[in-house]
Amino acid sequence: SLANSDIDDQDLKLLSYCSQLRELDISYCESIGNAGMSHIAKLPLRAFLARGCPLIGDEGYAKLRACPLERLSLENSLLSNNG
């Protein structure tokens, strides 16, 4: 879990090389934005938690469509009704 850490979009770029990563929790990481989600979308994630990430919006979350998610948690997110 990387929850409550100081990671940012560039750190997620490095994480995208972890091709066996199946679960990721970036909850309350306030420096991750839509750009970082592009890197996450390259992973074969089954579970993704991003509660309370204020810089990630509809554009970022839409990139998760590429992941084979079975579990998703986006509480306290900026996801709109259009997302």
Side-chain angles (χ1 to χ4, degrees):
S1 171
L2 297 171
N4 295 304
S5 67
D6 291 331
I7 64 168
D8 60 18
D9 292 339
Q10 288 302 313
D11 295 318
L12 292 181
K13 183 176 182 179
L14 295 173
L15 195 66
S16 71
Y17 295 104
C18 299
S19 62
Q20 301 299 312
L21 190 63
R22 300 292 184 260
E23 297 183 12
L24 181 60
D25 184 353
I26 60 165
S27 296
Y28 306 104
C29 292
E30 298 181 357
S31 298
I32 296 175
N34 291 333
M37 300 302 282
S38 296
H39 306 302
I40 291 174
K42 299 174 184 175
L43 296 168
L45 294 176
R46 300 272 184 214
F48 180 69
L49 293 81
R51 297 180 299 262
C53 295
L55 300 180
I56 305 172
D58 291 348
E59 176 187 338
Y61 290 121
K63 295 173 184 173
L64 293 176
R65 292 181 185 139
C67 297
L69 292 172
E70 297 171 0
R71 181 173 167 224
L72 178 65
S73 180
L74 305 175
E75 291 118 20
N76 300 315
S77 71
L78 295 179
L79 192 62
S80 74
N81 289 332
N82 299 323

